Amino acid sequence: AQKVTQAQTEISVVEKEDVTLDCVYETRDTTYYLFWYKQPPSGELVFLIRRNSFDEQNEISGRYSWNFQKSTSSFNFTITASQVVDSAVYFCALSDRGDYKLSFGAGTTVTVRA
Amino acid sequence: GAGVSQSPSNKVTEKGKDVELRCDPISGHTALYWYRQSLGQGLEFLIYFQGNSAPDKSGLPSDRFSAERTGGSVSTLTIQRTQQEDSAVYLCASTLFGNNEKLFFGSGTQLSVL
């Protein structure tokens, strides 16, 4: 069985602060895929990143970065120098090899205040 | 269309009525998913289609829920005899093959059962 835990329900920061969203997962498979999605107020989930279990390199994309630690089963997401447009709900998700569906965490609501 | 389209965007119904929610996936995508997002909750998997077949209906909450897909394209999620606990955002997603790929989501249908 899969499980994704996002322990932070809500995070509120002031613009330009950094914010880190935690994601811890459980799976019995050795091959799996981790995802982050952003859900802005408009409601449509937007794909941010997919990482497979064999690639532990950290990734940076603009102000976004991801830290994948297999040893602690975590895939954390950091927004550097946050902006008001970053305000959204962020979901972490997991799928096992050959699986067709994603299991989502409960989401973390990020509010960035001007 | 360019993205996943869902209709209606909002639906208000009375308890006991039937509702139909429609999803038009990205052209050429063989895999289609329905998820449900209740207030403050993560995304709950409902059903998965590969072509017109539904190999996994395990997430449908009760026999009041059903879904079909025709022509390998449009899908309809039907809820019969709606209950107040059915109130949620129903999200549709599609992907090319359905194997550990990123999902493309629609904006969802906000269902309110009075």
Side-chain angles (χ1 to χ4, degrees):
Chain A
Q2 303 171 345
K3 185 176 177 182
V4 178
T5 303
Q6 295 180 255
Q8 304 146 306
T9 306
E10 294 184 33
I11 300 176
S12 181
V13 296
V14 177
E15 217 171 10
K16 297 197 176 98
E17 285 184 358
D18 297 349
V19 55
T20 295
L21 311 181
D22 298 332
C23 173
V24 175
Y25 61 91
E26 292 177 33
T27 178
R28 293 179 186 172
D29 214 330
T30 55
T31 302
Y32 51 88
Y33 297 82
L34 294 161
F35 300 77
W36 276 94
Y37 281 83
K38 172 183 179 180
Q39 187 179 38
S42 62
E44 186 171 325
L45 274 85
V46 176
F47 168 82
L48 295 178
I49 189 170
R50 183 184 86 152
R51 173 56 53 84
N52 75 56
S53 54
F54 294 107
D55 182 2
E56 287 195 70
Q57 265 195 322
N58 291 331
E59 178 149 345
I60 298 175
S61 176
R63 294 183 298 105
Y64 295 169
S65 62
W66 290 268
N67 183 284
F68 178 29
Q69 302 254 350
K70 265 174 105 165
S71 59
T72 55
S73 296
S74 65
F75 187 44
N76 297 338
F77 171 37
T78 297
I79 304 172
T80 302
S82 59
Q83 300 176 2
V84 172
V85 293
D86 295 326
S87 296
V89 183
Y90 292 86
F91 291 97
C92 181
L94 165 72
S95 71
D96 286 334
R97 177 187 53 185
D99 202 356
Y100 44 80
K101 67 186 180 192
L102 268 59
S103 297
F104 285 84
T108 299
T109 300
V110 173
T111 302
V112 182
R113 309 185 308 276
Chain B
V4 177
S5 177
Q6 291 188 247
S7 61
S9 54
N10 278 284
K11 177 71 178 178
V12 180
T13 190
E14 292 179 353
K15 179 181 169 181
K17 301 276 191 188
D18 297 352
V19 294
E20 283 189 354
L21 312 180
R22 176 187 167 107
C23 172
D24 204 339
I26 292 174
S27 178
H29 280 192
T30 64
L32 185 147
Y33 306 75
W34 284 97
Y35 280 84
R36 179 168 73 173
Q37 184 177 20
S38 302
L39 192 63
Q41 303 295 312
L43 276 70
E44 174 190 12
F45 168 80
L46 298 179
I47 187 169
Y48 159 71
F49 285 93
Q50 181 57 249
N52 292 336
S53 302
D56 189 349
K57 307 178 184 180
S58 63
L60 294 179
S62 72
D63 58 8
R64 295 186 296 103
F65 287 73
S66 63
E68 66 173 12
R69 189 179 183 195
T70 55
S73 181
V74 173
S75 176
T76 303
L77 177 69
T78 301
I79 309 173
Q80 295 178 309
R81 305 181 302 282
T82 51
Q83 304 293 312
Q84 287 183 333
E85 61 262 28
D86 299 334
S87 297
V89 176
Y90 289 82
L91 292 163
C92 177
S94 72
T95 189
L96 199 53
F97 299 118
N99 189 3
N100 303 125
E101 300 168 288
K102 69 179 185 183
L103 302 183
F104 293 83
F105 281 87
S107 296
T109 294
Q110 172 75 62
L111 175 65
S112 300
V113 182
L114 305 179

